[in-house]
Amino acid sequence: MTLGLTHFLVLSTLLFCLGLFAMLTRRNAVAILMGVELMLNAANINLVAFNKYVAPGALNGQVFALVVITLAACEAGVGLALVMSAYRNLETVHVDEINVMKW
Amino acid sequence: MRELAWLIPVLPLVACALIFAFGPRLPGRGAYVAIAGIGLAALLSIGIFVEGLGGAKAHELNVRWVPYGQTALDLGLRVDNLTTVMLLVVTIVGSMIFVYSVGYMHDDPRFSRFFAYLSLFAASMLLLVLANNLLFLYAGWELVGLCSYLLIGFYFEKPSAARASMKAFVTTRVGDLFMFLGILLVFFTLGTFRFEEIFAKVHAGALEGMMVGGLPLLTVVAVLLFGGAIGKSAQVPLHTWLPDAMEGPTPVSALIHAATMVAAGVYMVARTYLLFFESPGHGALTVVAWIGAVTALMAATIAVVQDDIKRVLAYSTISQLGYMMLGLGMLGYAAGMFHLMTHAFFKALLFLGAGSVIHAMHTNDIKAMGGLARAMPSTYWTFLIGTLALAGVPPFAGFWSKDEILLEAFHHHRGLYAMALAAAFLTAFYMFRVIFYTFAGTTRSHHAHPHESPAVMTRPLWVLAVFSAGIGLVGAPFLGNPFHHYLHFEGLKAPAFSWGVALAGVGASGAGIAAAAAVYHWKVVPSGALRRAAGPLFTLVAHKYYFDELYAAAVVRPTLAVARALRTFDVYVIDLIVNLFGFAGLGLARLYRVFDLYVVDGAVNLLGWIAQTAGGVLRYVQTGRAQNYLLAIALGVIVLLAAGLFR
Amino acid sequence: MGQLAAFIILSVVTLVSAVVVVASQNIVRSALSLIPTLLGIAGVYILLQAEYVAGIQVLIYAGAITVLILFVIMLTEHGTGARFRQVNEQVLPGTIAVAVLAALLMAVFFGTAWPRAAGTLPQYTATSIGTTFLTSAILVFIVTSFVLLVALMGAIVIARRER
Amino acid sequence: MLLVDWLYVGVFLVVGLAMAALPLAVVWALAPRLAQPQKRTTYESGVVPFGQAWAQFNVRYYLFSLVFVIFDVEVIYLYPWSIVFRQYGRYAFFVMLIFVGILLLGLIHAWRKGALEWT
């Protein structure tokens, strides 16, 4: 059994679902952001894997993975800034306690 | 210079606009502006007239206004010999009266507005004169009517003045209606308003043989147009407004109701003379002649018994206008226009003189005056010159023009000639009656202190007096009758001067003067005895032939009665129906209110309640927690994936 | 065979530390175990012949972003956060949903016959990536600078203490 | 890629670990040990520590790290660019000038907002 595309897809699926689980269940906003990072990485694995196994002629998958990393960095920067702002104003980072917009 | 003719009506119009805009802040409270406007127009007119003497051709200026089917309505001016004569009369007499008004209206609070009106009148009158088509002429016609209305009612605080202005307006409208019908008839049969084209077509026989209601169409058209002249020139039976128009300021009476506007009817007949002339058997001219003769005689008889100096002059004006009509009707195209011109000068002079007298005496009643000859020499002498001119004493202006009319009448219809001669006698009689009452003897009023009017008033009197004395010479036969050469109708030849007719005319005038002197100066025959002797005739004349009463009975009262009946109908029937509808509407509205309250509002409230309740239930879905939403999204993705997999 | 072994080792490292990230009651421990996860993924990139992406993964993710996360943890919660409940009431539905989703995705991945285009990956990927950025992906290149600019400005505005 | 290629990595790994472990081992072998409770406390410049170890940090730290991250990300693009720079010449130069110029605006903004001031 040689290493194939499916292996990487299974890995990314599991990683994605772990990230999603973190987003669905964690109360801490920072933890949720970490879940987002996991999901982005799962997507990146898919991009690079598909680049190698499906369309190796060009490097578009890797280029896109790099762009995603860039966006992940931006997302982390802005998201964490939001977390800090929320903490300063509401004294909590637990998203179920941040309910200013609730009815 | 004829290309500049359009400036003539524009100058007074500009003056009018300036006075309306800036009022008393202008030099001389607006009077100087108005005088400048009319004065420049007068200079231009003189220039154009001089050009006309040199034999300049008729000049037309056309501006396309409204395209109308295949033809177009043009704004057009026409300058020909007839126009120049009228321009001269209007602007010269007008400027004299403008100057005179500065003195006469000096203390009036609405001084500026008076000059604005006068300027507007001058502009309208000049427009009327210069028009080259019937529509334009009609516009000027109505504008002068409007100015007449405004100026008669200038002292609108006085109920009689307000009533007089209304009467003048409405009465002339009756004539204008006929005129308008005539204009429409011309347009629909000939397809044009322009005089030149109308004349060309009529001359070519375009209307020949056409009949309307058993009458030749051309005659009908001419008579309808003459209807306008009857109204405007105060001919019988629409003459009743002119004596009442004396409620206006005296310069207005002189300018509008003696010299210019009332002559517009005569001018209009002269302008469209071809229509009258070409009517089969001169039918329309016969109508004109008879109306003119009747008017001349009837008004002269009424003038004899009037005590108000201005009313005497008003009836005299009506009478003289009748003369002009008679002249035109008796194929005396040049004679009628000649009399129009001379009359404009001496009647304006007489009115201004009367104004000067009124200014001094503060009354219109000639029986309250007397002996003014010494107190007001300038007024006296000029008034006397005007009277002599009007009475037809040679060599004053009136003699020459009246003689031509008498000559024409003598040649064409002896009956009319007799009436004209009688009117001439009466004219001399009533004018000298005024002279004797006003200027001769001693003053009968003890609290009046008559004094001569200021120079600004007497100077125009003298100017006009010179014209009144001398202007007749332009039509003098022994000078070759230059007026007739200047203004004549194609195909008409003036009858030769006749010593017999001239002597008869002078004799009638002399007899009138002598009779007046006998009754009012030497008192050979006391006027009371004369009155009793005349008996019922006197009563008839004193009541002005019951025209006003006739109109009151025939027109005013029936109209009022119909109006009253309609009012009753309105109050009891229409209002009842309206009220019924109102009540029905009210009842329906009450019903609707119930329906609204319980059905419409109920439905609306139900909808609101449903929305509120649904919102109250659904708001629990919006937890405000992103993770709940995320779970929902995840579930949605699952559902979509499953659907994609197991379809 | 060796590659498969390497893949399995890397997968185990990645997934185990990812589970720690997701499940740990201690937020600091979560953040720290993110590092082996990301490093393991970097190894997976090397297996996929994407050395440059792997290097960036180490540099940006394992280096910079993790540091940022740790900073924020230290700036916000007092301590490790262990005394707070770390999960909400959605654990059960979340677990079910995640499991079902994983099963469905697996079904999709196993059930698809992936095509394969011609060509081979270049020897030095960094060179090719540079060429791509300057030619076909030039728009991405420039727009990325805008994204970074906006992120920087926005984060500064949001994070700065209001005076 | 052969497994042999990984041998280099393994060698580097071993050498690196050894370089880290060797000093510790030497210290452990040579240094005298004296059991004192103070030795177990956190070292804070010789001062006796007080309060909790989890102290609140100032926001400035975050802002600095943020700026660092953003410019760190720039490397992703700078490095491939520098490899192919010669190949494309002036064109590549201007493209990067635009890229850096835009990011410079961000730096100016951070500077104007005082995010770079320490005190």
Side-chain angles (χ1 to χ4, degrees):
Chain A
M1 186 182 175
T2 52
L3 193 57
L5 176 60
T6 318
H7 294 91
F8 296 98
L9 293 181
V10 170
L11 173 63
S12 75
T13 302
L14 292 174
L15 212 53
F16 182 84
C17 288
L18 280 170
L20 182 61
F21 182 73
M23 283 190 75
L24 283 175
T25 58
R26 297 301 292 251
R27 293 176 70 216
N28 194 320
V30 179
I32 289 170
L33 278 174
M34 289 194 281
V36 173
E37 300 296 343
L38 287 183
M39 290 164 79
L40 284 170
N41 271 291
N44 264 358
I45 290 171
N46 269 15
L47 284 170
V48 176
F50 276 122
N51 193 173
K52 184 185 175 189
Y53 288 102
V54 176
L59 281 176
N60 288 332
Q62 291 191 20
V63 169
F64 211 84
L66 289 174
V67 174
V68 170
I69 289 170
T70 312
L71 292 179
C74 296
E75 173 257 354
V78 178
L80 290 169
L82 281 170
V83 170
M84 288 210 311
S85 181
Y87 180 70
R88 257 212 313 278
N89 291 314
L90 305 170
E91 297 288 324
T92 181
V93 290
H94 294 160
V95 290
D96 51 359
E97 288 166 12
I98 300 170
N99 54 5
V100 181
M101 300 261 283
K102 200 182 169 190
W103 40 271
Chain B
M1 194 173 276
R2 297 197 162 188
E3 298 77 45
L4 292 177
W6 59 274
L7 268 174
I8 295 174
V10 167
L11 283 167
L13 190 67
V14 168
C16 166
L18 280 174
I19 297 168
F20 268 129
F22 301 108
R25 274 164 291 170
L26 288 171
R29 287 190 284 161
Y32 295 163
V33 176
I35 291 168
I38 188 94
L40 285 173
L43 289 178
L44 255 175
S45 304
I46 291 167
I48 288 172
F49 176 73
V50 170
E51 224 177 21
L53 286 179
K57 289 266 179 296
H59 173 77
E60 291 226 8
L61 176 99
N62 265 311
V63 179
R64 177 72 32 110
W65 182 33
V66 184
Y68 179 84
Q70 286 168 340
T71 59
L73 303 186
D74 289 338
L75 295 179
L77 300 182
R78 180 183 171 86
V79 184
D80 55 16
N81 288 356
L82 178 64
T83 313
T84 53
V85 171
M86 277 305 281
L87 285 179
L88 218 53
V89 169
V90 172
T91 52
I92 291 178
V93 174
S95 22
M96 288 307 116
I97 291 167
F98 274 43
V99 173
Y100 175 89
S101 302
V102 176
Y104 189 84
M105 299 301 287
H106 192 266
D107 302 321
D108 198 279
R110 293 193 289 270
F111 182 84
S112 301
R113 194 193 295 182
F114 181 76
F115 277 94
Y117 286 164
L118 276 188
S119 292
L120 181 62
F121 168 77
S124 319
M125 186 68 202
L126 293 167
L127 177 77
L128 188 160
V129 169
L130 280 165
N132 81 335
N133 59 61
L134 276 173
L135 201 66
F136 221 22
L137 181 137
Y138 189 67
W141 188 271
E142 292 299 344
L143 276 172
V144 292
L146 169 72
C147 295
S148 164
Y149 166 79
L150 290 172
L151 284 165
I152 294 169
F154 191 71
Y155 301 128
F156 52 78
E157 309 92 334
K158 250 165 61 182
S160 60
R163 265 203 304 276
S165 65
M166 199 70 80
K167 183 174 179 182
F169 200 67
V170 172
T171 312
T172 51
R173 294 294 314 173
V174 176
D176 292 349
L177 176 68
F178 291 111
M179 181 181 174
F180 192 61
L181 285 176
I183 291 174
L184 288 181
L185 211 55
V186 167
F187 185 70
F188 288 125
T189 51
L190 297 176
T192 180
F193 286 121
R194 272 183 67 189
F195 295 132
E196 233 179 2
E197 294 168 11
I198 293 170
F199 294 161
K201 286 182 179 174
V202 170
H203 205 68
L207 297 180
E208 222 160 288
M210 292 173 86
M211 305 292 273
V212 171
L215 290 168
L217 178 69
L218 198 54
T219 310
V220 172
V221 166
V223 170
L224 281 174
L225 289 177
F226 184 58
I230 290 176
K232 195 63 87 188
S233 292
Q235 300 295 293
V236 172
L238 295 179
H239 65 281
T240 54
W241 65 271
L242 187 57
D244 289 2
M246 298 301 130
E247 292 287 350
T250 306
V252 170
S253 306
L255 179 62
I256 300 182
H257 305 116
T260 59
M261 186 192 82
V262 289
V266 179
Y267 168 76
M268 194 266 283
V269 173
R271 178 92 269 178
T272 57
Y273 200 66
L274 191 100
L275 299 180
F276 291 82
F277 187 73
E278 294 275 335
S279 63
H282 298 328
L285 284 179
T286 313
V287 174
V288 173
W290 274 100
I291 296 260
V294 169
T295 306
L297 190 57
M298 194 180 275
T301 52
I302 299 172
V304 171
V305 298
Q306 293 296 318
D307 288 337
D308 183 327
I309 186 168
K310 281 182 74 181
R311 277 177 183 266
V312 175
L313 291 174
Y315 280 107
S316 163
T317 303
I318 296 172
S319 169
Q320 297 305 309
L321 289 166
Y323 252 105
M324 296 171 207
M325 290 297 184
L326 174 65
L328 289 173
M330 290 285 96
L331 296 178
Y333 176 77
M337 282 308 294
F338 187 31
H339 195 55
L340 188 159
M341 184 175 83
T342 55
H343 172 259
F345 286 110
F346 62 67
K347 188 52 66 66
L349 168 63
L350 287 173
F351 262 110
L352 295 188
S356 179
V357 169
I358 293 165
H359 200 62
M361 298 295 292
H362 301 290
T363 177
N364 285 9
D365 191 355
I366 48 173
K367 286 184 175 164
M369 301 176 189
L372 292 179
R374 255 164 290 119
M376 313 174 70
S378 276
T379 307
Y380 170 61
W381 284 110
T382 52
F383 198 88
L384 188 62
I385 291 169
T387 305
L388 290 171
L390 174 56
V393 174
F396 297 104
F399 164 73
W400 306 102
S401 53
K402 202 178 276 186
D403 181 53
E404 272 194 44
I405 292 170
L406 288 171
L407 194 60
E408 298 276 7
F410 179 75
H411 275 282
H412 291 103
H413 197 292
R414 293 293 155 84
L416 291 175
Y417 171 69
M419 286 168 79
L421 212 55
F425 166 77
L426 286 171
T427 304
F429 182 78
Y430 64 70
M431 278 318 293
F432 275 89
R433 175 173 171 261
V434 170
I435 291 275
F436 289 130
Y437 264 129
T438 310
F439 294 100
T442 51
T443 188
R444 284 179 286 278
S445 170
H446 295 293
H447 43 260
H449 301 285
H451 54 89
E452 184 57 284
S453 297
V456 72
M457 285 164 72
T458 53
R459 279 199 199 116
L461 289 180
W462 278 110
V463 172
L464 287 171
V466 168
F467 272 106
S468 303
I471 197 76
L473 295 175
V474 302
F478 59 87
L479 292 176
N481 202 341
F483 186 83
H484 200 274
H485 285 287
Y486 185 73
L487 187 69
H488 61 95
F489 188 75
E490 215 62 49
L492 279 184
K493 235 172 81 79
F497 179 73
S498 150
W499 279 103
V501 174
L503 285 176
V506 175
S509 298
I513 295 168
V519 177
Y520 299 107
H521 191 59
W522 300 312
K523 302 208 179 359
V524 180
V525 185
S527 58
L530 201 64
R531 203 173 294 169
R532 274 189 299 279
L537 183 66
F538 174 80
T539 319
L540 183 66
V541 172
H543 285 91
K544 306 160 203 161
Y545 297 94
Y546 295 99
F547 264 106
D548 282 329
E549 287 79 359
L550 178 70
Y551 289 153
V555 181
V556 179
R557 279 207 207 102
T559 310
L560 284 177
V562 169
R564 261 188 222 109
L566 285 176
R567 179 180 173 277
T568 313
F569 182 74
D570 252 18
V571 168
Y572 290 104
V573 182
I574 306 268
D575 281 10
L576 186 71
I577 293 170
V578 171
N579 285 342
L580 266 178
F581 269 105
F583 279 122
L586 202 63
L588 272 177
R590 291 237 170 80
L591 258 173
Y592 259 126
R593 180 173 174 274
V594 173
F595 179 76
D596 252 17
L597 271 184
Y598 295 102
V599 181
V600 176
D601 283 12
V604 171
N605 287 341
L606 184 70
L607 276 179
W609 181 83
I610 288 170
Q612 198 177 14
T613 312
V617 173
L618 286 175
R619 71 173 178 165
Y620 293 104
V621 175
Q622 187 178 354
T623 57
R625 288 172 54 185
Q627 285 171 309
N628 296 148
Y629 305 158
L630 188 67
L631 184 61
I633 293 169
L635 291 175
V637 171
I638 288 166
V639 168
L640 284 176
L641 262 179
L645 270 178
F646 304 114
R647 66 187 154 175
Chain C
M1 201 58 205
Q3 284 195 11
L4 188 60
F7 173 75
I8 289 167
I9 293 165
L10 288 170
S11 296
V12 168
V13 169
T14 304
L15 288 175
V16 168
S17 47
V19 168
V20 173
V21 170
V22 170
S24 173
Q25 284 293 301
N26 188 330
I27 188 73
V28 178
R29 189 166 292 158
S30 283
L32 285 174
S33 62
L34 195 59
I35 296 171
T37 310
L38 297 171
L39 287 175
I41 292 166
V44 170
Y45 288 154
I46 290 172
L47 279 179
L48 287 166
Q49 287 175 278
E51 308 92 8
Y52 184 65
V53 179
I56 294 300
Q57 172 85 1
V58 173
L59 201 64
I60 306 293
Y61 258 128
I65 294 179
T66 315
V67 169
L68 210 58
I69 288 170
L70 280 168
F71 258 131
V72 171
I73 289 166
M74 288 190 285
L75 284 170
T76 54
E77 286 224 358
H78 297 281
T80 58
R83 50 210 157 99
F84 299 107
R85 192 162 55 85
Q86 285 296 331
V87 291
N88 61 12
E89 66 287 345
Q90 284 198 105
V91 175
L92 186 61
T95 311
I96 294 166
V98 163
V100 172
L101 189 61
L104 284 171
L105 283 173
M106 298 278 194
V108 170
F109 289 148
F110 280 109
T112 312
W114 299 104
R116 192 193 153 89
T120 49
L121 284 174
Q123 195 68 39
Y124 300 103
T125 52
T127 316
S128 301
I129 286 167
T131 311
T132 312
F133 272 137
L134 282 178
T135 53
S136 61
I138 181 72
L139 190 65
V140 174
F141 185 62
I142 297 298
V143 168
T144 305
S145 67
F146 275 104
V147 173
L148 287 170
L149 171 68
V150 171
L152 180 62
M153 292 169 74
I156 287 171
V157 169
I158 293 166
R160 245 163 46 94
R161 195 184 297 275
E162 292 88 353
R163 306 228 160 126
Chain D
M1 193 179 278
L2 294 171
L3 198 61
V4 185
D5 294 346
W6 290 96
L7 211 61
Y8 301 109
V9 178
V11 169
F12 271 104
L13 207 64
V14 169
V15 171
L17 283 173
M19 292 278 275
L22 206 64
L24 289 173
V26 171
V27 167
W28 183 77
L30 297 183
R33 271 181 292 279
L34 215 69
Q36 276 184 340
Q38 263 176 330
K39 279 195 151 184
R40 302 191 72 83
T41 60
T42 315
Y43 179 73
E44 273 189 19
S45 308
V47 183
V48 179
F50 60 94
Q52 281 188 313
W54 290 101
Q56 280 274 339
F57 278 74
N58 196 307
V59 177
R60 286 196 201 93
Y61 292 100
Y62 176 73
L63 290 179
F64 269 91
S65 60
L66 183 73
V67 175
F68 158 66
V69 167
I70 297 298
F71 286 96
D72 200 13
V73 166
E74 205 184 339
V75 171
I76 299 175
Y77 300 91
L78 267 176
Y79 179 65
W81 171 82
S82 63
I83 293 173
V84 295
F85 173 61
R86 271 178 202 288
Q87 215 175 317
Y88 286 92
R90 193 176 293 164
Y91 165 70
F93 173 72
F94 282 114
V95 169
M96 187 45 78
L97 207 64
I98 294 167
F99 186 86
V100 175
I102 291 167
L103 274 177
L104 211 62
L105 292 176
L107 189 66
I108 292 167
H109 178 257
W111 182 35
R112 295 288 305 153
K113 286 286 177 183
L116 300 182
E117 284 166 31
W118 189 249
T119 51

